[in-house]
Amino acid sequence: MKHKIVLIPGDGIGPEIVGEAKKVLDHVCQKYGHEFQYEEVLLGGASIDVHGVPLTDEAMATAKSADAVLMGSIGGDAATSPWYRLEPSKRPEAGLLRIRKGLNLFANLRPAYLYSQLKDACPLRPDIIGEGFDMLIMRELTGGLYFGERKTYEENGIRAAMDTLVYNEEEIRRIAVKGFQIARKRRNKVTSVDKANVLDSSRLWRKVVEEVAADYPDVELEHMLVDNCAMQLVRDPGQFDVILTENMFGDILSDEASMVTGSIGMLSSASLNETRFGLYEPSHGSAPDIAGQDKANPIATILSAAMMLRYSLDLDAEADAVEQAVEKVLEEGYRTGDIMSDGCTCVGTREMGDLIAKAIWGGGSH
Ligand code: IPM
Ligand code: MG
């Protein structure tokens, strides 16, 4: 099958990890007889350097015309990078928010799964890890604090700043529906996370989630306050199946969830709209401190490519092959620095990509 894929290498370690994911996809294409046409577009600092803005209209149009977008990471070191001397709406992150909003990617799926091979890299005690855990954070991605009105101003000589958190029922309903649908394909449990003891937006969130839940009587629904959820994630992560939450809470909780899986370098993500189209990116940042040193863990990006095969291209067997290849390489004891433990073999970004690409050929053919 022919598919058009837009690659966004981005900044920092982005080009290295996207390069490895593409290497793995090339092997998938060879093995299964597909043809992927790639086009690269600039986003974030890389785009600022060339065009003066973090995302051009042409880049957005190119992304829109693809079957799927595979992205690395964007942004730099805010203390030293000239990108952060620009006004906030021209900085790298503004480009990412614009592409999410422009493509209507309201549903952000972030699976956090503890590989049995990585138990030693998990910072939790063995009695807490138990049989391991496997959760999916369903983060609302185009509303809330990220997109509400904001301003910095001065009142009577006193500096002030304001951000607004707005959700309407339609925005809540469509992400809740996605949450319940995916719970049905997993373990039939949704934990909806909010701050309903304080925020009006959370009280509406809770009401609408309950209305949606009525259509999914086979799925268990519980509500949890976000502060409690942050605590439960390190107290008993095994209790979670689908965590359904708004944009800002999802941003914070997904970093926490990724760390309990051993490393943020393992966490993939898919950002979806109502169609098959999606933007796939690791949940981690651009790690400018290790950029270009062959140290970054490419696995989150490779697993994001697997999600792309599954959700946008409908290639389940190929997605399984990538996920199994990752597991095989971990099983053989290969680790990048971030997930390294005693007795394992430490490899760089490129070697990890080579090993996973080679392992694609391990299983039976299609
Ligand atoms: C993420 C990132 C982004 C976010 C940043 C880079 C704007 O932290 O994808 O989690 O906050 O959504
Ligand atoms: Mg984040």
Side-chain angles (χ1 to χ4, degrees):
M1 287 257 289
K2 267 194 176 176
H3 295 285
K4 182 176 166 194
I5 294 168
V6 158
L7 297 177
I8 303 184
D11 308 319
I13 57 172
E16 294 167 79
I17 55 183
V18 168
E20 296 315 307
K22 179 169 175 298
K23 188 189 279 174
V24 172
L25 288 174
D26 287 344
H27 284 255
V28 168
C29 283
Q30 271 179 41
K31 178 169 176 190
Y32 293 87
H34 301 303
E35 195 182 321
F36 292 170
Q37 280 166 356
Y38 294 100
E39 194 165 341
E40 276 196 21
V41 309
L42 299 175
L43 179 73
S47 175
I48 295 173
D49 289 345
V50 177
H51 302 294
V53 288
L55 176 71
T56 62
D57 292 343
E58 296 76 59
M60 179 84 112
T62 306
K64 243 184 198 154
S65 73
D67 294 311
V69 177
L70 181 65
M71 196 191 120
S73 47
I74 54 106
D77 180 350
T80 55
S81 164
W83 301 329
Y84 295 89
R85 277 181 240 128
L86 299 167
E87 61 169 276
S89 67
K90 299 222 166 75
R91 293 179 192 166
E93 287 74 8
L96 179 59
L97 298 194
R98 224 189 114 213
I99 202 169
R100 285 174 178 169
K101 190 78 171 175
L103 300 174
N104 197 25
L105 304 170
F106 64 87
N108 183 220
L109 283 61
R110 299 188 162 184
Y113 169 78
L114 182 68
Y115 284 87
S116 57
Q117 299 89 351
L118 292 188
K119 278 189 175 159
D120 288 348
C122 174
L124 303 178
R125 285 197 319 259
D127 61 305
I128 295 176
I129 298 173
E131 293 303 300
F133 44 84
D134 175 5
M135 67 189 109
L136 183 128
I137 299 184
M138 177 68 80
R139 169 188 177 195
E140 200 293 325
L141 202 61
T142 52
L145 274 174
Y146 278 63
F147 294 95
E149 193 197 327
R150 68 178 99 256
K151 64 176 180 188
T152 303
Y153 56 102
E154 219 175 279
E155 215 169 47
N156 304 327
I158 295 184
R159 287 174 301 160
M162 179 201 80
D163 299 275
T164 40
L165 201 183
V166 181
Y167 271 108
N168 69 39
E169 58 178 313
E170 283 164 12
E171 291 170 310
I172 301 169
R173 192 168 295 115
R174 63 184 183 176
I175 186 78
V177 166
K178 289 253 188 211
F180 281 92
Q181 282 173 346
I182 203 137
R184 270 195 174 154
K185 295 193 177 165
R186 295 171 49 93
R187 299 192 308 280
N188 292 298
K189 183 177 172 192
V190 169
T191 304
S192 175
V193 175
D194 61 37
K195 188 70 184 170
N197 54 348
V198 178
L199 303 176
D200 266 8
S201 56
S202 282
R203 287 188 273 267
L204 180 64
W205 180 278
R206 215 175 251 224
K207 267 196 202 119
V208 176
V209 169
E210 268 167 16
E211 288 161 17
V212 172
D215 294 335
Y216 299 83
D218 49 319
V219 178
E220 182 195 341
L221 168 67
E222 70 175 354
H223 299 286
M224 194 178 275
L225 296 173
V226 61
D227 47 352
N228 184 27
C229 182
M231 188 263 279
Q232 296 295 338
L233 273 171
V234 289
R235 198 191 71 90
D236 178 18
Q239 69 184 286
F240 296 110
D241 180 12
V242 174
I243 293 180
L244 170 67
T245 193
E246 64 92 54
N247 204 345
M248 181 75 151
F249 297 159
D251 179 45
I252 299 168
L253 294 175
S254 60
D255 267 31
E256 187 187 2
S258 70
M259 196 56 222
V260 302
T261 69
S263 165
I264 194 165
M266 298 294 298
L267 202 77
S268 57
S269 92
S271 304
L272 308 174
N273 57 26
E274 296 288 12
T275 72
R276 292 206 73 85
F277 178 88
L279 182 147
Y280 299 83
E281 53 168 323
S283 297
H284 60 71
S286 59
D289 52 323
I290 57 163
Q293 297 171 34
D294 197 38
K295 281 188 185 158
N297 183 352
I299 293 180
T301 316
I302 291 169
L303 291 173
S304 301
M307 290 182 93
M308 174 179 87
L309 294 169
R310 194 182 303 286
Y311 291 112
S312 285
L313 309 185
D314 213 9
L315 299 173
D316 282 327
E318 290 80 345
D320 288 345
V322 173
E323 287 165 4
Q324 282 159 15
V326 168
E327 202 143 353
K328 178 161 184 268
V329 169
L330 294 175
E331 188 62 44
E332 288 167 353
Y334 295 104
R335 304 281 188 272
T336 42
D338 57 318
I339 48 174
M340 184 60 190
S341 50
D342 282 354
C344 292
T345 311
C346 194
V347 297
T349 312
R350 283 195 296 274
E351 194 176 350
M352 184 55 98
D354 287 340
L355 287 162
I356 295 169
K358 198 164 145 245
I360 293 289
W361 297 92
S365 84
H366 195 35

